[in-house]
Amino acid sequence: MEMLKQKFKAQADKLGEEIKAILKEHGDTVIGQTTLAQVYQGMRGMTALITETSLLDAQDGIRFRRHSIDELRDKLPKANGGSEPLPEGLFYLMLVGEIPTQEEVENLTSILQRRSHVPSYVFETMSALPKETHPMTMFVVGVMALQGESTFAKKYAEGMNKKEYWAATFEDTLDLIARLPHIAAYVYRRKYKQGKALQPDGLLDWAGNFAHMLGYDDDQFKELMRLYMVIHADHEGGNVSAHTTHLVGSALSDPYLSYAAGMNGLAGPLHGLANQEVIKWIFEMQEQLQTKEPTAEQIKEYVEKTLSEGKVVPGYGHAVLRKTDPRFTAQMDFGKKHMSDDPLVNTVWRIYETVPPILQSLGKVKNPWPNVDAHSGALLVHYGMVEYEYYTVLFAVSRALGVLSSLCWDRALSMPLERPKSVTTAAVKRWLNKEVQNLGD
Ligand code: CMX
């Protein structure tokens, strides 16, 4: 742990100096123009954040420290006998920018195991909620119940020097990542498995143990969890969950508060909740059409009906991507390898052939291709995890790796409070009518 922490600190000090030099020489360099349309329409394409952990290309998809998902599947260390990357390795990569060795990853796995204890009051707090509560709400309540454990919050209250913020954030990050699978597994077991929680297996890796605590001991499911935890971890900084975590963290809210806030954003249907919406939508289609394997023609009619009811086709479209999401492709690859004759998985692939031309024909959808959420549910259903309301919790556990390593970077680089300027439409009109010189006067 100390080695990783010192390595991170050395990297952060070096980058901090580089940033100082960049700002000294280029601080006034203009990087683009902001249009009124961007301000009104969700700030699309407006470069306004620095996030060190990953970078999204509209055509090629996400790269983690310049490594594509295919490269990560190839280069990151694997579990014994496995072929999917270990998420601990990706976390290491996002933190220090280097592909770790097998030994470094195994060391990180044992650090996380040692920090994974969750106090019983956290489970009791979640248990106090009605069973019908959405799993994401239970999960975030669990995270919030744990907030009293925050090293950052305790040290801040004691008068911590600002030079120590990064170290306290680092401690909280490791503690949270270690504990989240326990909280998430408890939500699943409580809601769907008569409350029978399962003990962790200290011999397993982080994602393998998570699968085990959920109650899935099939080796292939463990492999799926490793891949799942890797591909959902980070998608640069502007998406709702990452941006919210960063924004809330910029007020020096501790990592528990910041992460919980980000996950409330992930719980929205246009973001992470889309993974449950996709399977719900497919199950409803199967129900209405009375078939497990709808034809392309039937899917087309169902998509048109969805659109005519003023709804979106879940799992399709993206605010940045303009091609099929490589996270979709990686899951398709997993499906072809392990379950190529599964009817639901085949339906997902038939939807992939059917939906893009329909969305394209609307003329307004900027990206008619599938995103990560279009595929994930079908793989989970294959192994028996049919409780689709739970799926966003899996996404949330994975997303912790990205948003929390980013928060470590925010604190190590002393990123300030985020506070952009907002204006009213009345102010916009005054400015357009040249009644004032500057927008916002
Ligand atoms: N189905 C129907 N209409 C869609 C659509 C879809 N899948 N994707 C975009 N559109 C519509 C938009 O609703 C918008 O319509 P209006 O002008 O009538 O409001 C129009 O096309 C233009 O939208 P856009 O610029 O292409 O897309 P945005 O950047 O505004 O939104 C996203 C991106 C993801 C919210 C949108 O594509 C969507 O709602 N997709 C379905 C939900 C989904 O899968 N979300 C998960 C994204 C990945 C993740 O974060 O996990």
Side-chain angles (χ1 to χ4, degrees), residues 44 270-271 274 307 312-313 315-317 319 364-366 371 373:
R44 296 291 185 284
L270 296 188
H271 191 17
L307 294 170
V312 294
V313 179
Y316 281 76
K364 65 174 184 178
V365 181
K366 296 195 191 64
N371 57 57
D373 301 314

Side-chain angles (χ1 to χ4, degrees), residues 27 33 84 90 108 112 189 206 247 301 316 342 391 416 428:
Q33 279 186 324
E84 296 299 343
L90 174 63
L108 183 52
L112 293 174
R189 301 295 302 178
W206 183 74
L247 169 67
E301 276 171 33
Y316 281 76
D342 181 290
Y391 294 170
V428 169

Side-chain angles (χ1 to χ4, degrees), residues 3 8 25 92 134 152 183 201 219 235 239 256 293 298 304 310-311 354 367 377 404 427 432 436 440:
M3 258 172 71
F8 171 74
E25 204 177 328
Y92 188 107
H134 192 278
F152 187 95
I183 296 177
D201 179 344
D219 283 344
H235 219 221
N239 65 78
Y256 292 77
E293 291 187 78
Q298 285 174 312
E304 279 160 1
K311 301 179 198 162
T354 317
N367 176 37
L404 291 172
L432 290 173
V436 290

Side-chain angles (χ1 to χ4, degrees), residues 203-276:
L203 297 175
L204 284 168
D205 54 286
W206 183 74
N209 188 36
F210 183 25
H212 162 74
M213 287 189 293
L214 287 165
Y216 294 85
D217 271 314
D218 182 326
D219 283 344
Q220 256 183 39
F221 187 84
K222 292 195 183 100
E223 281 287 272
L224 175 62
M225 266 311 101
R226 290 169 191 132
L227 176 65
Y228 192 111
M229 293 294 131
V230 164
I231 63 176
H232 289 80
D234 208 32
H235 219 221
E236 72 171 35
N239 65 78
V240 172
S241 52
H243 188 190
T244 307
T245 307
H246 165 79
L247 169 67
V248 174
S250 85
L252 295 187
S253 302
D254 66 57
Y256 292 77
L257 294 167
S258 309
Y259 169 72
M263 294 312 103
N264 284 327
L266 191 77
L270 296 188
H271 191 17
L273 202 82
N275 61 7
Q276 78 163 43

Side-chain angles (χ1 to χ4, degrees), residues 281 284-286 288-289 291 294-311 313 350-351 353-355 357-359:
W281 181 77
E284 282 168 5
M285 169 162 60
Q286 289 176 337
Q288 276 191 31
L289 299 170
T291 172
T295 63
E297 194 48 43
Q298 285 174 312
I299 292 169
K300 184 169 181 285
E301 276 171 33
Y302 195 75
V303 170
E304 279 160 1
K305 178 170 168 292
T306 301
L307 294 170
S308 72
E309 288 166 353
K311 301 179 198 162
V313 179
R350 203 162 305 123
I351 293 171
E353 287 159 17
T354 317
V355 166
I358 304 175
L359 291 182

